[in-house]
Every structure is written in structure tokens, then in C-alpha cells.
């Protein structure tokens, strides 16, 4: 059985947002499921099915870019080098 990808995304977003918040990075986290064969019977804002969907999710007008110091803080929390 395949689990519901929308529920999985929402759970992972919740876990990540709380993890970051508990370490001093209170940022908005949004998650998506990318289905490469566009074969989902579900229509949801959480499901991306092509490059245009990805572009829209990343480059929507009105979204705020994180300041560099916040990005560095998150990278440090996640132990990623920026």
C-alpha cells in the first residue's frame, strides 16, 4: 500500500517547522509532493506534477525571501554549509 503523500508532506512540514522553531529559527515552512508521472487522482495544492508547478511554488509573487542571516542560521541548525 502507498501512504497518502499529502499527509506525509504535512507531517514532515510540522516536524521540520517545530525542529527549527525549537532552535530559534521561527520561519514558515511549506512542503510539496512531486509526482513525476502525474498520475495522482487527487487534486491538491501540495502536489506538484511538472516543472511549471515547481516554478510557481518557488517564485510566487508576494513571497518573502529569507534574509541571509536567517538562511545561515537554518543551514547551521541543519548542519548544511551554505
Amino acid at each position: 500500500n502507498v501512504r497518502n503523500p499529502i499527509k506525509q508532506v504535512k507531517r514532515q512540514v510540522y516536524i521540520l517547522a517545530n525542529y527549527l522553531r525549537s532552535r530559534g529559527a521561527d520561519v514558515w515552512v511549506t512542503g510539496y509532493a512531486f509526482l513525476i508521472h502525474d498520475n495522482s487522482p487527487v487534486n491538491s495544492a501540495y502536489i506538484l506534477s511538472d516543472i511549471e508547478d515547481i516554478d510557481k511554488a518557488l517564485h510566487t509573487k508576494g513571497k518573502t525571501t529569507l534574509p541571509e542571516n536567517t538562511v545561515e542560521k537554518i543551514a547551521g541548525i541543519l548542519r548544511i554549509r551554505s
Side-chain angles (χ1 to χ4, degrees):
N1 292 339
V2 176
R3 294 185 178 203
N4 184 328
I6 297 169
K7 286 183 182 179
Q8 290 179 15
V9 167
K10 288 181 177 182
R11 180 176 182 273
Q12 295 301 322
V13 165
Y14 175 81
I15 291 168
L16 178 59
N18 283 315
Y19 180 80
L20 293 173
R21 189 177 306 112
S22 72
R23 284 156 180 76
D26 191 11
V27 294
W28 183 263
V29 178
T30 304
Y32 301 95
F34 180 65
L35 304 177
I36 58 174
H37 293 293
D38 193 20
N39 60 353
S40 173
V42 178
N43 185 13
S44 170
Y46 293 99
I47 295 178
L48 308 178
S49 58
D50 58 34
I51 195 75
E52 290 177 14
D53 287 348
I54 294 171
D55 186 60
K56 287 177 192 172
L58 295 175
H59 301 107
T60 301
K61 288 186 179 182
K63 287 190 178 180
T64 311
T65 303
L66 292 174
E68 185 63 32
N69 64 335
T70 302
V71 172
E72 290 174 6
K73 183 175 193 171
I74 293 169
I77 292 169
L78 298 176
R79 296 187 184 107
I80 299 171
R81 296 178 193 247
S82 55

